[in-house]
Amino acid sequence: MNPSPVGVILAQIGTPEAPNANAVRNYLRRFLSDRRIIDYPPLLWQPLLRGVILRVRPRRSAKLYNSIWHKDGSPLLLHSLAQREGLQKRLGSQYQVELGLAYSEPGMEQAMSVLEAAGVKRIVVVPLFPQYSSTTTASVYDAASFAALGRSSATGSVSKRSVPALRFIDSYYDEPGYISAMKNHLLRQLSRMNAVPDYVVLSFHGIPRRYAETGDPYPKQCLETARLLAEAMHWEPGRWQVSFQSRFGREEWLGPSTEEVLKGLAARGIRRPLIFSPGLVTDCLETLHELAVEGREHFASGGGEPRDLLTAPCLNDSEEWLLFLAQMVTDNAQGWLAAESPPIHP
């Protein structure tokens, strides 16, 4: 009898099912109700969320999603499925790879059910977030754990008696393979550009500053990723910087903000900046619209020529990135296979 494969779940936050207000509202309700994301007391937060935010924000966000939507669906979902397919190809038949989204379909419960139906009893969970944050990595840890346990919360009813063994891949913000994958990806993108950038902005998704001050290591890991990438790319000091995007609400967030950085570049004599998001490995609304569309508007508002703002896509399903993911999976699955794992397929 052939041994059951090792399960692998590529874990992402999620995406609306359609670029319309109802679908965006459903997604935001789940996303913004998670206290990992918004940690205000529910008695204070839920009336604001349901009474104001979910009445106003979905319509505006739906227009933005509609502007980037592919004919086959959400960019984040399509790129994530390509990552799943590419990782499966490189790992081979001893592994079974599924995609699990924390706040949309295919959900973590679905991924877990498919694996368990295939007889999988050991699962490696791969958060697609190189830098750890309680708002991302910990959120998918929660979702995967509850899905494996067969319950919706720590106090909820139990639907399963037998649960699989789980291994969670740790943050990999400084792993040489990740830095190398970004380097090769950026060099490839630069070779295709008609102009050479004269400055680089490395934009990371932001979090409230209070989260960092109470123990979230995210900003330190972002800064170290940026330092290592700049070193690998041989960028001179003063020719690149870090910024943080996607602010939400009135609370103070990590800075400097990507918006303010872009608005100030032209005044500093920068004419052809390149913007890249190392922490987002899958193209989505935050890269395709917030950086590539709104980013050009911000650059222009400060006196820059919008078409001269260069953007690099996320790693998506690039070869070096998938090989790095495959190596992380096999490293974390040691001892779970009956025989030594075969070489990773290029």
Side-chain angles (χ1 to χ4, degrees):
M1 180 180 296
N2 293 327
S4 61
V6 170
V8 179
I9 295 180
L10 284 181
Q12 260 286 11
I13 289 295
T15 176
E17 294 183 359
N20 59 58
N22 285 336
V24 173
R25 184 176 295 108
N26 291 335
Y27 170 68
L28 290 179
R29 181 182 295 111
R30 293 180 62 180
F31 177 61
L32 296 176
S33 292
D34 187 342
R35 295 194 67 187
R36 291 279 190 190
I37 307 299
I38 305 292
D39 66 352
Y40 300 144
L43 288 177
L44 296 177
W45 173 243
Q46 285 298 320
L48 177 61
L49 174 64
R50 296 172 185 271
V52 179
I53 296 172
L54 293 180
R55 292 178 181 272
V56 177
R57 192 177 180 89
R59 188 176 294 107
R60 176 181 178 273
S61 294
K63 292 180 180 179
L64 304 183
Y65 276 109
N66 192 61
S67 71
I68 65 163
W69 211 258
H70 293 190
K71 64 177 183 178
D72 295 326
S74 160
L76 181 137
L77 178 58
L78 296 176
H79 286 304
S80 297
L81 290 172
Q83 289 170 335
R84 186 207 67 79
E85 182 180 349
L87 184 58
Q88 181 68 74
K89 174 184 176 182
R90 286 155 182 80
L91 287 173
S93 60
Q94 288 189 299
Y95 296 84
Q96 181 169 336
V97 185
E98 299 295 335
L99 176 66
L101 306 180
Y103 307 109
S104 62
E105 301 302 322
M108 203 67 74
E109 298 86 355
Q110 180 180 335
M112 203 69 66
S113 295
V114 169
L115 291 175
E116 291 181 321
V120 169
K121 299 184 183 302
R122 301 176 177 90
I123 299 172
V124 177
V125 179
V126 188
L128 290 173
F129 315 108
Q131 299 78 24
Y132 173 92
S133 174
S134 59
T135 62
T136 52
T137 314
S139 293
V140 300
Y141 283 2
D142 284 343
S145 297
F146 286 134
L149 294 168
R151 63 196 316 170
S152 60
S153 67
T155 57
S157 60
V158 176
S159 62
K160 293 165 56 177
R161 298 298 179 190
S162 178
V163 301
L166 298 182
R167 288 180 179 172
F168 294 97
I169 286 184
D170 196 4
S171 59
Y172 42 94
Y173 66 97
D174 59 351
E175 285 290 330
Y178 162 58
I179 302 300
S180 178
M182 288 193 292
K183 173 186 176 180
N184 289 323
H185 172 68
L186 285 175
L187 289 175
R188 188 161 51 247
Q189 297 301 318
L190 290 169
S191 71
R192 298 170 181 169
M193 294 178 179
N194 295 326
V196 177
D198 56 1
Y199 196 76
V200 179
V201 178
L202 298 176
S203 180
F204 293 84
H205 199 289
I207 61 172
R209 184 173 297 278
R210 175 172 54 86
Y211 290 13
E213 291 173 346
T214 53
D216 196 314
Y218 178 71
K220 292 182 180 179
Q221 293 187 2
C222 291
L223 293 177
E224 181 62 6
T225 293
R227 185 190 70 80
L228 291 170
L229 179 57
E231 182 179 89
M233 294 294 294
H234 303 292
W235 292 332
E236 297 178 0
R239 307 306 297 177
W240 65 276
Q241 75 171 98
V242 169
S243 65
F244 294 91
Q245 64 185 89
S246 307
R247 292 186 176 187
F248 176 78
R250 298 181 179 179
E251 193 168 356
E252 182 183 4
W253 280 50
L254 297 176
S257 77
T258 299
E259 176 179 346
E260 293 305 317
V261 167
L262 292 176
K263 288 179 177 178
L265 292 181
R268 295 160 57 187
I270 295 165
R271 296 291 176 260
R272 297 181 308 280
L274 169 69
I275 191 162
F276 175 63
S277 186
L280 296 172
V281 300
T282 313
D283 271 316
C284 56
L285 186 68
E286 284 77 7
T287 57
L288 298 174
H289 194 279
E290 187 176 353
L291 295 185
V293 178
E294 294 178 27
R296 288 189 169 91
E297 294 172 356
H298 297 323
F299 183 52
S301 71
E305 174 58 48
R307 63 184 177 184
D308 289 341
L309 173 64
L310 308 172
T311 62
C314 293
L315 289 168
N316 293 325
D317 61 344
S318 61
E319 177 71 13
E320 300 88 357
W321 168 240
L322 293 178
L323 288 173
F324 168 68
L325 287 179
Q327 190 61 61
M328 279 205 305
V329 169
T330 57
D331 289 347
N332 280 268
Q334 289 186 23
W336 274 2
L337 295 174
E340 185 177 348
S341 299
I344 295 170
H345 306 289

